[in-house]
C-alpha cells in the first residue's frame, strides 16, 4: 500500500511544481480576504519571474488573509501612461512600480500615500534610494528594482600613459581627452541619459518639487553632473 502512495504523492508534487506562477497566484487570490493589485512593467524574462516568485512567497505567509496580485501593464512607458490615466479616473492601483523621477508628477494627482502612514519599517533601506522618493520629508516608495551605473576602464591603457582612474566627471573628460590625443583617436564612449542624471540628482538630495511647484534648475540639478563621484 505504501508503495502505491509514494508515486501518487510524487506525481501530485510534480504537477504543482509545473503550474505557471500566475496560475498559482490566481488561486491564492481567489481565496484571500483582501487582494491588492501590483501594476508593473515587466514583460517577461528574469525580472518578471523574480517578481512572481517574491509574490508567491509573500502570499504564502498571509494565510489566506491577504494576497498581492501582479498585473503586467506592458512596457515601462505603457505602465506610466496607465498609472496617470488611473489617477485621472480616481481608480489607482493599491501598488505600482514607478521610476522615482515620475513620483513628483504622481504627487500632483494627490493620490499617493506616504509609506510611513502605512506603518512600514524602513530601517536598513539604502538611504540614497529613500531620498530619491522623499518629498516634503515623507517617503512615497520603497526600492523595487534598480539599475546599476557601471564604468568600465582599460587598466593597461591608463598605465601606458601614466594616468589614474578618474573618479569625477571632470576627471573622466580630462583623462579621455589626454588618451584620445595620445592614441590619435577617440578611446572612450560615455553617454549619460535622463535616468542617469536622475540618479546623480537624487543622490545629492535634489527634489523636483519646491513649495508645491515643479523645479528643474535647482542648485542640486546644476551641480549634479560635476559633484557626483564615480565608484
Amino acid at each position: 500500500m505504501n508503495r502505491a502512495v509514494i508515486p501518487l504523492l510524487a506525481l501530485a508534487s510534480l504537477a504543482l511544481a509545473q503550474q505557471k506562477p500566475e496560475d498559482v497566484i490566481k488561486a491564492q487570490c481567489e481565496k484571500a480576504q483582501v487582494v491588492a493589485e501590483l501594476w508593473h512593467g515587466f514583460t517577461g524574462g528574469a525580472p518578471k519571474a523574480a517578481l512572481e516568485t517574491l509574490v508567491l512567497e509573500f502570499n504564502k505567509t498571509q494565510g489566506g488573509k491577504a494576497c498581492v496580485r501582479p498585473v503586467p501593464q506592458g512596457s515601462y512607458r505603457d505602465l506610466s501612461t496607465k498609472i496617470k490615466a488611473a489617477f485621472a479616473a480616481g481608480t489607482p492601483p493599491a501598488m505600482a512600480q514607478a521610476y522615482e523621477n515620475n513620483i513628483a508628477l504622481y504627487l500632483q494627482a494627490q493620490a499617493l500615500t506616504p509609506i510611513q502612514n502605512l506603518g512600514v519599517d524602513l530601517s536598513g533601506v539604502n538611504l540614497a534610494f529613500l531620498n530619491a522618493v522623499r518629498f516634503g520629508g515623507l517617503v512615497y516608495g520603497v526600492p523595487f528594482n534598480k539599475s546599476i551605473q557601471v564604468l568600465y576602464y582599460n587598466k593597461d591603457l591608463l598605465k601606458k600613459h601614466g594616468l589614474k582612474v578618474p573618479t569625477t566627471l571632470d576627471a573622466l573628460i580630462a583623462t579621455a581627452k589626454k588618451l584620445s590625443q595620445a592614441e590619435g583617436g577617440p578611446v572612450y564612449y560615455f553617454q549619460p541619459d535622463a535616468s542617469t542624471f536622475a540618479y546623480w540628482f537624487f543622490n545629492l538630495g535634489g527634489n523636483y518639487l519646491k513649495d508645491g511647484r515643479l523645479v528643474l534648475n535647482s542648485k542640486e540639478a546644476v551641480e549634479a553632473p560635476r559633484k557626483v563621484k564615480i565608484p
Side-chain angles (χ1 to χ4, degrees):
M1 181 175 181
N2 289 339
R3 292 179 180 177
V5 171
I6 292 176
L8 288 176
L9 290 175
L11 288 174
S13 299
L14 180 61
L16 183 61
Q18 290 179 338
Q19 282 186 285
K20 293 182 179 180
E22 55 262 38
D23 293 336
V24 179
I25 293 173
K26 180 180 179 181
Q28 290 175 329
C29 291
E30 286 176 348
K31 301 175 182 178
Q33 299 174 20
V34 177
V35 178
E37 285 192 353
L38 168 57
W39 289 13
H40 66 86
F42 294 143
T43 56
K48 183 172 181 291
L51 172 61
E52 291 173 342
T53 298
L54 181 63
V55 169
L56 278 171
E57 293 304 315
F58 172 80
N59 289 345
K60 289 178 183 178
T61 68
Q62 300 306 298
K65 294 180 179 180
C67 177
V68 172
R69 184 166 70 91
V71 183
Q73 300 295 328
S75 67
Y76 289 137
R77 186 179 296 275
D78 295 332
L79 172 63
S80 178
T81 299
K82 292 179 181 179
I83 290 175
K84 294 174 184 176
F87 283 158
T91 57
M95 298 178 289
Q97 180 186 14
Y99 279 119
E100 54 260 37
N101 40 332
N102 283 343
I103 290 183
L105 300 177
Y106 298 154
L107 279 173
Q108 294 180 338
Q110 299 181 344
L112 298 183
T113 300
I115 294 297
Q116 291 98 322
N117 292 2
L118 302 177
V120 177
D121 182 9
L122 298 176
S123 61
V125 178
N126 187 295
L127 186 59
F129 294 166
L130 291 182
N131 286 340
V133 290
R134 191 190 305 275
F135 296 86
L138 299 175
V139 177
Y140 287 89
V142 293
F144 187 76
N145 64 298
K146 297 293 294 183
S147 298
I148 304 299
Q149 303 297 307
V150 177
L151 173 67
Y152 292 92
Y153 62 89
N154 188 322
K155 184 177 180 180
D156 293 335
L157 187 61
L158 292 174
K159 182 178 180 180
K160 174 182 175 182
H161 296 285
L163 298 172
K164 296 181 180 180
V165 177
T167 57
T168 66
L169 290 182
D170 284 339
L172 174 64
I173 293 172
T175 301
K177 286 182 177 179
K178 290 179 180 178
L179 288 175
S180 296
Q181 292 172 355
E183 292 291 314
V187 297
Y188 79 101
Y189 178 80
F190 180 70
Q191 183 178 353
D193 54 18
S195 179
T196 302
F197 168 77
Y199 298 137
W200 300 337
F201 176 57
F202 289 126
N203 278 326
L204 289 175
N207 193 321
Y208 284 148
L209 290 179
K210 183 176 182 180
D211 299 327
R213 301 183 64 182
L214 186 64
V215 179
L216 298 179
N217 62 340
S218 65
K219 177 183 178 182
E220 293 84 2
V222 174
E223 294 180 349
R226 299 197 175 276
K227 280 197 171 182
V228 172
K229 298 290 185 180
I230 300 173

